[in-house]
Amino acid sequence: MSKFVLVGVSLALGLGAGILLDRNVHSPSQGSGATELSADGVVPSAPLQGVMATTGSGVTLDLAPIRAMVREELAAALSRAPGAGVQAGSSSPPAEVSSASPQQQQDAIQAISGLMEGGNWGNDERASFHQQLGQLDPQQREAAMQRLVQAINSGNLRVATAGAPF
C-alpha cells in the first residue's frame, strides 16, 4: 500500500512542477530588475528573445535570435582575443622557422627513417622521434608524421609504447 502512496505523491509532484514550469514558459516575464551577464561578465547588447510556437502537441523554437546572439558573442570574443588583428580563417598563423641548418634537418630525416625501418616502435623510439621533429620545418614535420602513421597503419611498425605512439 505504501508503494501506491509513494507513486501517487510522486505523480502529483511531477504534475504540479510541470504545470508550474508550463505557466512560467508561456507567461511574459515580469521585470525582475536583474541583468543577464555573459560568461566573461559583459552585459549583452540585446536580450535574447526566442519565439516559441505551439503546433498541436509539439513546441518549436525560433533559432534565429539564438544564432544571432552566438555570432555576436563570438565576434566580441575574437575581438578581445590576443592577435585580434588576424581575421579568423583569412590566413594561417605564421609558420615556425626551424633554427636547424639544412644538414641538421637532413640528418634528422635520416634518423627518423632509421627509427621507422627498425620495425618496433617503443618509448625510446618515440622520444627520439620527438627530438628529431624539433629539427625540422613544419612541412617536414607533417611529412614525417604522415610516414609514421602510414607505417603503423600498414603494420610495418609494431607499436609497444606506454600511451599514444606519437
Side-chain angles (χ1 to χ4, degrees):
M1 186 68 171
S2 64
K3 290 181 185 179
F4 291 116
V5 172
L6 181 62
V7 170
V9 170
S10 297
L11 185 61
L13 287 174
L15 285 173
I19 291 170
L20 179 66
L21 289 174
D22 186 52
R23 286 184 183 166
N24 286 339
V25 167
H26 291 298
S27 68
S29 62
Q30 305 297 326
S32 62
T35 58
E36 183 179 328
L37 296 178
S38 63
D40 58 356
V42 177
V43 177
S45 60
L48 176 62
Q49 296 176 349
V51 177
M52 294 179 67
T54 57
T55 56
S57 63
V59 176
T60 59
L61 179 66
D62 184 11
L63 297 177
I66 296 172
R67 288 184 179 134
M69 183 189 73
V70 169
R71 280 193 296 272
E72 180 183 313
E73 289 294 322
L74 283 173
L78 287 174
S79 69
R80 290 188 302 269
V86 176
Q87 293 293 327
S90 65
S91 66
S92 60
E96 297 176 19
V97 178
S98 175
S99 61
S101 70
Q103 180 60 40
Q104 289 173 324
Q105 290 178 346
Q106 191 62 31
D107 292 343
I109 291 171
Q110 289 175 352
I112 288 172
S113 295
L115 289 170
M116 290 185 196
E117 290 169 2
N120 291 323
W121 193 259
N123 293 330
D124 294 336
E125 288 81 7
R126 178 178 56 189
S128 179
F129 179 74
H130 280 278
Q131 288 175 348
Q132 301 303 326
L133 279 181
Q135 305 271 334
L136 304 177
D137 63 29
Q139 292 83 15
Q140 292 170 328
R141 283 185 207 138
E142 185 172 339
M145 286 297 292
Q146 286 177 352
R147 285 183 54 212
L148 174 62
V149 170
Q150 288 172 352
I152 292 171
N153 286 343
S154 67
N156 293 336
L157 277 178
R158 189 176 43 143
V159 178
T161 59
F166 312 113

